[in-house]
Amino acid sequence: MRIATYNVNGINARLPRLLEWLDEAKPDVACLQELKADGDRIPIQAIEDAGYGAIWHGQKGFNGVAILARGAQPVERRRGLPDDPDVTHSRYIEAEIDGVVIASIYLPNGNPQPGPKFDYKLAWMDRLIDHAAALLVEEKPVVLAGDYNVIPKDIDTFSVRAMANDALAQPESRAALRRLIHQGWTDAIRALHPEPERLYTFWDYQAGAWARDAGFRIDHLLLSPQAADRLVAADVDKAVRGREKASDHAPTWAELR
DNA sequence: ATGCCAAACGCTGTTTGA
């Protein structure tokens, strides 16, 4: 089972690219983020015609997450994190597919920092950490896939200096991600591409970032022990980022046997 | 210190956000 995460940056703006990638990569599961569309604007017919069942938690204008399953209908387990006081942000959806629990996550960016948006990011991470602990208790294969908006370590960015004041690289953001991982989650990409290999999943549209490979690694698939035991491959579909009308993220995936 | 860029919305530009 190959599970991918792809921040599409507007599902309608990206629909030709999304359908093209689904057709060539044929992921069994695709977790999408930044749909930037509410339920009635999700191109569900095109997704079904491509052979995928889908559930989504949409939102007009920004945010929005979905889970697509090839030849299957994801069985929704929850939308939103428990005890989230702000239900206006569509950033979390969770389903079970073929015995695997899969979440599509769009973690808040948090810029500018310091400020209320950064506080919101850290509070959201605390709620994710609490929910992730509850998921581990189930002792099932679980994959938490998404745009975490956290650069785990200095090696995961093209420039430590350029990101020094960015919410994505702050010590507090990294510490929260470590608290999550240290519950017992495996970072699928790093498990199969250990340091010092550099892999990026995002390249800004601005300042020629793609052309000079000025990227960073912020899209992650965290595996429960029961999922990590089945991990056989993981990588980034980097070429997708170089296409016309591309998202600023590249699809990132892990394969479980 | 600021803009670089892109998408949505809705209309020839503004807002929002990354």
Side-chain angles (χ1 to χ4, degrees), chain A residues 99-220:
Chain A
V100 181
V101 176
I102 295 166
S104 181
I105 294 170
Y106 180 46
L107 210 145
N109 175 291
N111 279 306
Q113 75 79 33
K117 290 190 175 183
F118 190 58
D119 296 341
Y120 176 70
K121 174 182 194 149
L122 296 178
W124 203 95
M125 293 186 83
D126 282 341
R127 287 190 289 275
L128 177 62
I129 288 165
D130 286 347
H131 182 55
L135 288 173
L136 285 179
V137 171
E138 296 189 42
E139 300 193 338
K140 287 181 176 177
V142 182
V143 180
L144 303 179
D147 176 1
Y148 280 71
N149 269 316
V150 178
I151 297 165
K153 298 176 75 174
D154 285 352
I155 194 170
D156 298 307
T157 172
F158 72 104
S159 165
V160 172
R161 208 173 83 173
M163 302 307 290
N165 294 312
D166 195 289
L168 279 58
Q170 290 312 295
E172 296 95 325
S173 309
R174 289 179 169 177
L177 181 63
R178 283 197 301 275
R179 286 210 310 282
L180 172 59
I181 290 173
H182 290 171
Q183 290 177 335
W185 300 91
T186 295
D187 176 343
I189 288 286
R190 267 294 170 242
L192 295 179
H193 300 271
E195 297 175 23
E197 184 175 352
R198 283 180 181 268
L199 293 95
Y200 302 143
T201 66
F202 170 93
W203 295 259
D204 203 297
Y205 290 120
Q206 304 184 60
W210 169 249
R212 57 195 178 92
D213 197 26
F216 31 90
R217 191 172 75 92
I218 53 174
D219 298 275
H220 308 302

Side-chain angles (χ1 to χ4, degrees), chain A residues 90-103:
Chain A
S90 299
R91 297 183 176 275
Y92 187 93
I93 194 165
E94 179 185 301
E96 182 158 336
I97 300 163
D98 284 344
V100 181
V101 176
I102 295 166

